[in-house]
Each structure stands twice: as structure tokens, then as C-alpha cells.
Amino acid sequence: MIIDCHGHYTTAPGALQTFRDAQLAVLKDPSLVSQNGLPVISDDQIRESLEKAQLRLQRERGTDLTIFSPRASAMAHHIGDEATSLAWSRVCNDLIGRVCSLYPDNFVGVCQLPQSPAAAPANSAIELERCITELGFVGCNLNPDPSGGHWTSPPLTDRHWYPLYEKMVELDVPAMVHVSSSCNPCFHATGAHYLNADTTAFMQFMTSDLFQDFPTLRFIIPHGGGAVPYHWGRYRGLAQDMKRPPLSELVLHNVFFDTCVYHLPGIELLFKVTPIDNILFGSEMVGAVRGIDPETGQYFDDTKRYIDALPLSEEDRAKVFSGNACKVYPRLGAKLAGRL
Amino acid sequence: MIIDCHGHYTTAPGALQTFRDAQLAVLKDPSLVSQNGLPVISDDQIRESLEKAQLRLQRERGTDLTIFSPRASAMAHHIGDEATSLAWSRVCNDLIGRVCSLYPDNFVGVCQLPQSPAAAPANSAIELERCITELGFVGCNLNPDPSGGHWTSPPLTDRHWYPLYEKMVELDVPAMVHVSSSCNPCFHATGAHYLNADTTAFMQFMTSDLFQDFPTLRFIIPHGGGAVPYHWGRYRGLAQDMKRPPLSELVLHNVFFDTCVYHLPGIELLFKVTPIDNILFGSEMVGAVRGIDPETGQYFDDTKRYIDALPLSEEDRAKVFSGNACKVYPRLGAKLAGRL
């Protein structure tokens, strides 16, 4: 079985965006509030939105199951306030829940959290619990910068976030560290802000004792770990200069990278420096880069092809394609028991 | 000849820090202002600070000339105001000028700019011109985020920066894009902020027409280009999705990467994806990582060893070690004419 740990519902039916547009209109003109009903989306519309996109690509690329979450760039936790974010998150998560019910063999859910710059992470724990216990989700996406490029929240290692981590540990679910769109003109979302957040989070984890406080807390850093594997020597050296333990002890029981790196040399580097137990197959499809690489004639984001080109043992290949995901997302592992 | 394009005077005599401490004390208590004289540093103190550090390492590692600038993390453009930054920049630049006069075969100067969050880049152009024409420097370090981690300035591609670029073009000098310390607790300086800034700047350049306005403007993005080479497929794909020209046309006449990547797999990747004409040897010594890699028994930042291990032609090796630097820094090329 091949599990793609990183997919977003970027192709949701138009009624979802209509709901969001109405919500944003209300922010500008509160008299509109009563007009913003929940989006009406039929099962057929959901099927159509997936059949021609994610499901087609799963079939074409030979992958089986996608760990599926709401569109990351649309989370936009910086817009409105906590009530805005909660209403939007619930609608988006419920839609992911319907996708997973319609296609239980193809999708398993990960939720968006109702974060907001002024919101307490304890409130995100409530929506997390709802999604895990009521919708059957297996994890969440955690935005380390709900301000959208102004980085006004404390580092992920601050006690500020502990109420959410306590719930994650209680439910035994991991978080993918994933920012959303940027309202800071310095940062292009998918070309800078996403990768910067990945790099930033890793360094925060490296310089803290978070995992002493939460030995079973787990994070997936997407986009191949941002800049980290490319600068693996820098990180090993910084840890050593700071008299910290080696990275293997310091963070690698708790931090995992996906394979959303869109060329073979990058994937080769990722696998060369990172322990195989810390790599989860992911493609971010349909996502940041949608075109075909003229150098290969294949989709940039068909990352399975790059992994297929590596000389891995069958055991290692199975870890990357499914075993590691089942360990990092134990609720997924339990769902799949007997199917793998 | 082997030219290291990226060295900072991280080992300056203590009197420099004493000056800075006094300057910062004045910010807290303006009555102290009259006590802050210029730092008194003898030629012998300068020699001693270099002989046991940068000069020793040049000899041991077999490099010849370092493009040398004030300590990047100490620029701290976010502290005080423009007057603070100007006084500190002039002192730091003058000291680099003395280093270059004492060791003209070993060091050539690059200046710190008197940036400040509220300062106009035109004012940086004045100090740039002084350093180039009076001190014989060959370039500058440009901080894309003088706020120190809050990213309050416009992108580097905004017209805000054009007065500085006009002076750079007039003087025919490049800038290394280099942030300083971070006062945002989210960002560790050398482990996150530096690399994020590199990644951010590249994406800014990629999404603008800056180099149509300034065809001869040149930037060095340090630390191996941040996350960019590792995600080269992502950047090629993003450019294509945005209907922009290929990276080779879009930015690679104007943007160059150094080799401050502290392990062989990272350097291998850099050379695999980046055109050889866009790579300048650099080590950042004495800098971010000072220890010895237990896996190799060599200094992490002895990046020449990694390049020596690559199967490069003599022509390509000469480009990376000296030819490209002389093209990107034409005033250095002119100084070295006949010595190469």
C-alpha cells in the first residue's frame, strides 16, 4: 500500500469558496451576517471534484491512500478573528469528513485548526477532538504563524502551545507543521513562507526541550523539511556547538519529513542524510506546482517517481510508502490493520 | 588563486564591542553620549585577532583571499535608529578598511550598510560610495529585513530600494543578501533567519522584473542559496506555472550562490542543479558553525574540502574558486588583474 501523507482538498466544489466569500463579506459589512448559510454541496459534486483530480492522479501514479486535509493556503488564520476561523475550520473539516466517508479506501482526514493570532491553542484542542472522535480523522495541521507572515505567536516550543499538545498526546495524533497564505508582501506563500516555516520549526525544536516534556509528541515537517536536509551539516554542527545531543537523539524520535521535493537530486539528498525511519512519502498533490517538468516529461509533483528511482531495499521502501505513516499516525495504522 | 567570497570579522578586538556596548548604553541613557569615543584598536591587536583565526585558517585550508565584511549578526539594524546604525556601520567598515590595508593580499572589503527600519535606502548609498571610493571596497551586504525578524520593509524588488541599486550599478558593485540577528523569538539567527532570508530573496527576485530595470545589478545569496537548490524543481515549476521565463533567463544572470553548505551531500546537490557560472566559493569562516564534524574529522565550515571532492574540470574549478568572484565583483577582478 502506498500512503501519500500530504494532500489538500484544493479542488473543492465552488460552494465552499462561495461560503468563504460570504464570510469575508460579513467581516466588511456585519449586516450581511444572516445571509451566510452553510455551503450546500452534493455528494455528486464532491465525487466530481475528486474523480478528475486527486482520484485520477492516485490511479495514474499508483498511490492508494491520501492523508487529506483542507486547502492549506485557504486556512488564512490571519483573516477575521477566532469566530471567523472556527466557522471556516468546521465547514472545511466537515467537508473533508464527507470526502473520507465517500471514499474510505482513498482518503483519511487531517483537520484544519481554528487558529487565530489572539486565540488560545486550548480552543484548537476542542476542534481537534471533534475531528478525531466524531469524524475519524488521524491528525491535524498546525500553523506556527497564524498571523500570516508576521510571526507574532511564540515559538512552537513555548508553553503557549502546551494545551494543544496535551490533547494531541491524549488522542495520540501528530501535527503537520503547515503555514497558510502570507499577508506579508515579503513572503510568497508556496515559494518562501512554506519553506521558511519548515526550517524555522525544525530549529525551534532543536533548541528546546519540548520532547522531554512530551516524549510521544510527533510533528511532520512538510516540503522535505524546508531547507533542513540541504543544510544537514549546519544543523549537526549547530547542535554540537550548542552542546546539544546529536540530532538523532534530539529531535528524530519526534520529527519527520515528507517527500514533497520536486526533483530527483533533492529527493536523493533527502534520503542520503535523513534516517529512513523519518521519511514519509508525500506529494502535496494537487498543490503548489501543477505543471510538467520539461526535463523529465512528468509532473513535478509526482514524487513517487523520484523515490522509485532510488536504490532502496524493499523494507526501506515499505517504511517510506506506508510503515512510517502508520507509526506516525497510529490511528491510521489501526484503520489499516490487516490491509497492509 | 582561491577567493573565499564570504567571511566576516567575527574575531575583532574587544574594543569594538566596548564601543558597541557604550553605544547601546547611550540608547538607554542619553546622558552617557559624550563618553562614547571611537574604539582605540592598534594594528597589533588587529594582526593578533586575525593571525590566530582567519589567517591561520586560510593557510591551513589553502585559500588565498577572503572577501571580508563586518560581523553580520552584529549589524543589528533593528537596534536604535538610523544615527545609531550609521555610527556603528562607519566604525565597523573603517575597521575592515584597516584589515585590508594591513593584509592587502589576504582580504578585500565589503561594507555593512547603515540600514534602519525607518531609513531610506538612498542614505545607505552614501556609505556605500564612501567605502567603495575611499576604502577600496568591492561590494556591500544588504539586509532585506532591517527590523530583525519582523519583515517590515518592502520586498527587495520594490522601488523603495532603487536609490541604492542605482548607486550599486553606478559603482559596479554587487550586494550579498544578508540578514543580521533576529529579535523575533521565532527565528534562531544562523539556524533559521539567515536561511529564510536567502529563500525569501530568491523568490522575490523570481516574481519580479527587477532585472529588467537593472540588467547589471548582481546579488549573491549566501548559505548555498538557502532552501533554493534543494527545491530547484519547485522553483522551476513555480516559474513555469506563473508563465515566467526559465530560471536561467529570469534570475541567473543576476543572482549567485555561495558554497556555505556544511556537508558533502549538500555541496553535491548545489553543483548538480546550479549552473557552474552561478557558484562562488565561500565558507563563512569564522562563522556560524565552528566545530569539527565527527563524521569526517574536519571542520564543518571547511567547504573547500567538499568542492575538492567533486569531479570538476579545471576550468569549472577555476570559475568557482576565483573566476566567478572576479566577474561578480569587477572591482576585485581589476585589483587582481595579473595576479590570477
Side-chain angles (χ1 to χ4, degrees):
Chain A
M1 171 172 284
I2 296 182
I3 300 168
D4 183 340
C5 78
H6 189 174
H8 301 295
Y9 197 6
T10 49
T11 59
L16 184 69
Q17 189 59 44
T18 304
F19 169 86
R20 180 64 163 171
D21 291 343
Q23 192 189 37
L24 302 186
V26 168
L27 290 176
K28 290 186 183 159
D29 180 358
S31 71
L32 296 171
V33 69
S34 62
Q35 299 172 28
N36 195 19
L38 291 176
V40 177
I41 296 172
S42 69
D43 286 353
D44 277 348
Q45 285 174 316
I46 292 175
R47 289 190 190 98
E48 189 193 11
S49 73
L50 295 163
E51 285 289 351
K52 62 189 180 192
Q54 289 85 354
L55 287 169
R56 174 178 65 80
L57 291 169
Q58 281 185 355
R59 284 190 297 269
E60 286 179 6
R61 299 180 183 183
T63 66
D64 299 298
L65 179 75
T66 300
I67 299 180
F68 206 51
S69 59
R71 186 177 183 179
S73 64
M75 297 189 299
H77 295 116
H78 57 279
I79 294 180
D81 60 12
E82 186 171 5
T84 316
S85 184
L86 179 60
W88 177 230
S89 296
R90 287 183 64 110
V91 162
C92 290
N93 291 333
D94 285 345
L95 190 59
I96 294 293
R98 290 180 62 196
V99 166
C100 298
S101 296
L102 285 171
Y103 297 95
D105 291 341
N106 298 92
F107 298 102
V108 64
V110 149
C111 67
Q112 166 178 337
L113 296 174
Q115 297 179 251
S116 191
N123 300 350
S124 282
I126 298 169
E127 175 66 1
L128 173 66
E129 185 155 34
R130 182 184 81 90
C131 291
I132 303 299
T133 60
E134 296 180 22
L135 303 181
F137 287 12
V138 299
C140 60
N141 290 334
L142 175 60
N143 184 345
D145 173 29
S147 75
H150 295 284
W151 292 91
T152 55
S153 291
L156 287 178
T157 49
D158 191 276
R159 288 183 170 272
H160 169 79
W161 303 96
Y162 276 25
L164 176 62
Y165 298 160
E166 286 160 9
K167 184 58 69 180
M168 286 169 57
V169 167
E170 177 195 323
L171 296 168
D172 203 14
V173 298
M176 179 173 279
V177 178
H178 207 307
V179 287
S180 184
S181 53
S182 159
C183 61
N184 184 328
C186 287
F187 303 126
H188 185 279
T190 53
H193 192 41
Y194 282 21
L195 305 177
N196 292 351
D198 303 336
T199 308
T200 298
F202 186 85
M203 193 64 195
Q204 291 175 358
F205 295 142
M206 229 185 82
T207 47
S208 83
D209 294 320
L210 176 64
F211 301 124
Q212 290 185 16
D213 287 351
F214 295 101
T216 63
L217 189 64
R218 295 177 305 281
F219 293 101
I220 301 93
I221 300 187
H223 322 108
V228 173
Y230 178 46
H231 287 284
W232 200 242
R234 171 176 283 255
Y235 289 99
R236 289 197 296 111
L238 284 170
Q240 183 173 292
D241 283 1
M242 290 186 287
K243 317 288 185 205
R244 305 279 294 167
L247 299 182
S248 54
E249 295 171 32
L250 188 56
V251 291
L252 292 179
H253 297 300
N254 307 83
V255 174
F256 303 84
F257 300 144
D258 76 11
T259 64
C260 294
V261 177
Y262 297 150
H263 62 151
L264 180 58
I267 291 286
E268 286 174 335
L269 174 78
L270 172 65
F271 279 74
K272 203 176 285 181
V273 302
T274 315
I276 198 78
D277 290 335
N278 292 82
I279 304 174
L280 276 64
F281 169 64
S283 74
E284 207 183 347
M285 71 91 168
V286 178
V289 175
R290 307 196 177 191
I292 288 174
D293 185 347
E295 293 183 8
T296 64
Q298 305 293 341
Y299 285 102
F300 278 106
D301 68 358
D302 187 357
T303 58
K304 178 170 172 293
R305 286 182 176 272
Y306 311 133
I307 299 167
D308 287 343
L310 301 179
L312 297 177
S313 70
E314 279 313 302
E315 184 188 0
D316 285 353
R317 196 173 297 277
K319 282 182 176 182
V320 170
F321 279 135
S322 60
N324 293 342
C326 290
K327 282 189 185 162
V328 174
Y329 297 84
R331 287 172 177 266
L332 172 62
K335 275 180 202 278
L336 297 178
R339 267 183 69 192
L340 280 178
Chain B
M1 170 171 286
I2 295 182
I3 300 168
D4 183 340
C5 79
H6 189 174
H8 302 295
Y9 197 6
T10 49
T11 59
L16 185 69
Q17 189 59 44
T18 305
F19 170 87
R20 181 63 163 172
D21 291 343
Q23 192 189 36
L24 302 185
V26 168
L27 289 176
K28 290 185 182 161
D29 179 359
S31 71
L32 295 170
V33 69
S34 62
Q35 298 170 29
N36 196 18
L38 292 177
V40 178
I41 297 172
S42 70
D43 286 355
D44 278 347
Q45 286 175 315
I46 293 175
R47 289 190 190 99
E48 190 193 10
S49 73
L50 296 163
E51 285 289 351
K52 63 189 179 191
Q54 289 85 355
L55 288 169
R56 175 177 66 80
L57 291 170
Q58 280 186 354
R59 284 190 299 269
E60 288 179 7
R61 300 181 182 182
T63 66
D64 299 298
L65 179 76
T66 301
I67 299 179
F68 207 51
S69 58
R71 186 177 183 179
S73 64
M75 297 190 298
H77 295 116
H78 57 279
I79 293 179
D81 59 12
E82 185 171 7
T84 315
S85 182
L86 179 60
W88 176 231
S89 297
R90 288 184 64 110
V91 162
C92 289
N93 291 333
D94 286 346
L95 190 59
I96 295 292
R98 289 179 62 197
V99 166
C100 299
S101 295
L102 285 171
Y103 297 97
D105 291 342
N106 298 90
F107 298 102
V108 64
V110 150
C111 68
Q112 167 178 336
L113 296 174
Q115 297 180 250
S116 191
N123 300 350
S124 282
I126 298 169
E127 175 66 0
L128 173 66
E129 183 154 36
R130 181 185 82 91
C131 290
I132 303 299
T133 60
E134 295 180 23
L135 303 182
F137 287 11
V138 300
C140 60
N141 290 334
L142 175 60
N143 185 345
D145 173 29
S147 75
H150 294 284
W151 292 91
T152 55
S153 290
L156 287 177
T157 49
D158 191 275
R159 288 183 171 273
H160 170 78
W161 303 95
Y162 277 25
L164 176 62
Y165 298 160
E166 286 160 8
K167 185 57 71 178
M168 285 169 57
V169 167
E170 178 195 322
L171 296 168
D172 202 13
V173 297
M176 178 173 278
V177 177
H178 207 307
V179 287
S180 185
S181 53
S182 159
C183 60
N184 184 326
C186 287
F187 303 126
H188 185 279
T190 53
H193 192 41
Y194 282 21
L195 304 177
N196 291 351
D198 304 335
T199 308
T200 299
F202 186 84
M203 193 64 195
Q204 290 175 357
F205 295 142
M206 230 185 81
T207 47
S208 83
D209 293 320
L210 176 63
F211 301 123
Q212 289 185 17
D213 287 351
F214 296 101
T216 63
L217 189 63
R218 295 178 304 281
F219 294 100
I220 302 93
I221 300 187
H223 321 108
V228 173
Y230 177 46
H231 288 283
W232 200 242
R234 172 177 283 255
Y235 289 99
R236 290 198 294 110
L238 284 170
Q240 183 173 291
D241 283 1
M242 291 187 286
K243 317 287 185 206
R244 305 279 293 167
L247 299 182
S248 53
E249 295 170 33
L250 188 56
V251 291
L252 292 179
H253 298 299
N254 306 84
V255 174
F256 304 83
F257 301 143
D258 76 10
T259 64
C260 294
V261 177
Y262 296 151
H263 61 152
L264 180 58
I267 291 285
E268 286 175 336
L269 174 78
L270 172 66
F271 279 75
K272 203 176 284 182
V273 302
T274 315
I276 198 78
D277 289 335
N278 292 81
I279 304 174
L280 276 64
F281 169 64
S283 73
E284 206 183 349
M285 71 92 167
V286 178
V289 176
R290 305 195 178 192
I292 288 174
D293 185 347
E295 293 184 7
T296 65
Q298 305 294 340
Y299 284 101
F300 279 106
D301 69 357
D302 187 357
T303 58
K304 178 170 172 293
R305 285 181 177 272
Y306 311 133
I307 300 167
D308 287 343
L310 300 179
L312 298 177
S313 70
E314 280 312 303
E315 185 188 359
D316 285 352
R317 195 172 298 277
K319 282 182 175 181
V320 171
F321 278 135
S322 61
N324 292 343
C326 290
K327 282 189 186 163
V328 174
Y329 297 85
R331 286 172 178 264
L332 173 62
K335 274 180 202 279
L336 295 179
R339 268 183 70 192
L340 281 178

